[in-house]
Amino acid sequence: MNALSVSGLTLTCGDTTLVDDLSFELPAGATLGIVGESGSGKSLTLRSVMGILPEAVTRHGEIRCEARTAMVFQEPATALNPTMRVGDLVARTWRRHHPDTSAREARAAAAELFDQVGIDDAVRRLRAWPHELSGGMRQRVMIAAALATDPDVLLCDEPTTALDVRVQAQILQLLRDLVSERGMAMVFVSHDLAVVASVCSQILVMRHGRLVESGPMDRVLAVPQEQYTRDLLAANLARRLADREGVLR
Ligand SMILES: Nc1ncnc2c1ncn2[C@@H]1O[C@H](COP(=O)(O)OP(=O)(O)OP(=O)(O)O)[C@@H](O)[C@H]1O
């Protein structure tokens, strides 16, 4: 059964085509990475699924999604409301999706979610303001808020790009654990092929709003069919090696 099915998705802004006839399917519980350079249409594709496209963008094509979706964004600093304690954000989100629960139950659920996403001393941290937390902790709060809606599909838009490499690895590990524990499907967007390869078993490569190639991660990485995918792989390897030199220097 598919959690998500996208068919002939085309997005335009005036005369400009931003995403061109994109089709893909996401089986329940599967993990799909969407990669491509900046401007290739990855974020807009996710936003189409979530139903939060910018006003100027027009959508054609069909998106079938019976499953509950939740989205995690790149910049937890801007996605979090600075005037709301992080526990209140998660408890409110929980309550919106579990309307029969009391405020006390919602708070207990928020503490439980904080615990699940690896926030230490969860009950005390409920009272923290966003600015009191590190980038990694803020992203954990955003993931807890997404989980408060009991999603079947987690949509991640470059969730680790703003984080340093060590914290990035921790958040990727957390996402891997959550996906396997909850049997959730995930679509993970990144310009970084290595990041996507570490959390997803399927890959979809995009360029200029079009599908370049897609398939099982292992096959596409081992035997890329398209020159663009080969170039992406080479660029990724070069960047990783440069990072390594930086570390060794
Ligand atoms: N609100 C908008 N109005 C008009 N065009 C937009 C809007 N948002 C994005 N675009 C354009 O749509 C194209 C795809 O953007 P999108 O953000 O989906 O790319 P992306 O692959 O996610 O890149 P990035 O990694 O830089 O976010 C780009 O050319 C971008 O300039």
Side-chain angles (χ1 to χ4, degrees):
M1 199 186 71
N2 285 328
L4 170 66
S5 168
V6 172
S7 170
L9 178 69
T10 299
L11 303 175
T12 54
C13 180
D15 293 339
T16 314
T17 302
L18 306 174
V19 169
D20 193 1
D21 197 21
L22 181 69
S23 300
F24 66 91
E25 289 180 342
L26 180 73
T31 48
L32 171 72
I34 303 183
V35 289
E37 65 204 61
S38 183
S40 55
K42 308 180 299 292
S43 295
L44 288 181
T45 299
L46 276 198
R47 285 178 171 273
S48 304
V49 174
M50 200 63 197
I52 51 168
L53 278 173
E55 234 170 70
V57 176
T58 307
R59 194 195 101 187
H60 304 275
E62 194 185 0
I63 296 178
R64 262 186 294 142
C65 184
E66 307 294 330
R68 262 193 305 269
T69 54
M71 191 152 164
V72 179
F73 297 88
Q74 177 174 340
E75 270 298 339
T78 45
L80 282 169
N81 178 346
T83 65
M84 192 185 284
R85 293 183 196 271
V86 290
D88 291 342
L89 167 83
V90 177
R92 272 190 202 192
T93 310
W94 169 272
R95 233 176 152 190
R96 217 175 301 132
H97 290 265
H98 304 81
D100 297 334
T101 51
S102 66
R104 179 193 282 263
E105 284 167 331
R107 220 169 161 68
E112 169 67 32
L113 284 168
F114 271 23
D115 207 40
Q116 277 180 35
V117 300
I119 297 179
D120 299 338
D121 203 0
V123 173
R124 192 175 59 85
R125 290 288 177 101
L126 290 175
R127 295 189 53 73
W129 299 101
H131 74 264
E132 293 172 332
L133 301 178
S134 65
M137 279 296 160
R138 283 199 289 256
Q139 197 53 292
R140 286 176 195 269
V141 169
M142 291 312 297
I143 294 169
L147 295 180
T149 69
D150 288 334
D152 306 302
V153 183
L154 191 62
L155 305 171
C156 299
D157 192 0
E158 305 253 14
T160 60
T161 304
L163 306 173
D164 73 45
V165 176
R166 191 178 52 85
V167 180
Q168 181 178 64
Q170 292 167 358
I171 299 289
L172 293 173
Q173 183 61 50
L174 170 66
L175 290 171
R176 271 194 295 270
D177 292 345
L178 290 171
V179 161
S180 76
E181 282 159 18
R182 293 177 162 247
M184 241 177 355
M186 177 166 73
V187 183
F188 190 108
V189 157
S190 177
H191 64 279
D192 190 332
L193 196 53
V195 165
V196 160
S198 75
V199 284
C200 296
S201 57
Q202 299 282 318
I203 183 171
L204 189 159
V205 181
M206 284 182 81
R207 188 184 197 197
H208 301 325
R210 295 206 192 93
L211 176 99
V212 173
E213 72 175 294
S214 63
M217 184 70 71
D218 291 347
R219 186 191 51 69
V220 173
L221 294 190
V223 197
Q225 301 295 305
E226 299 294 327
Q227 185 58 43
Y228 181 68
T229 312
R230 285 193 278 275
D231 292 346
L232 263 189
L233 266 168
N236 215 270
L237 183 61
R239 195 167 57 237
R240 298 265 141 182
L241 288 172
D243 286 351
R244 187 161 159 270
E245 272 173 22
V247 171
L248 294 176
R249 218 177 283 134

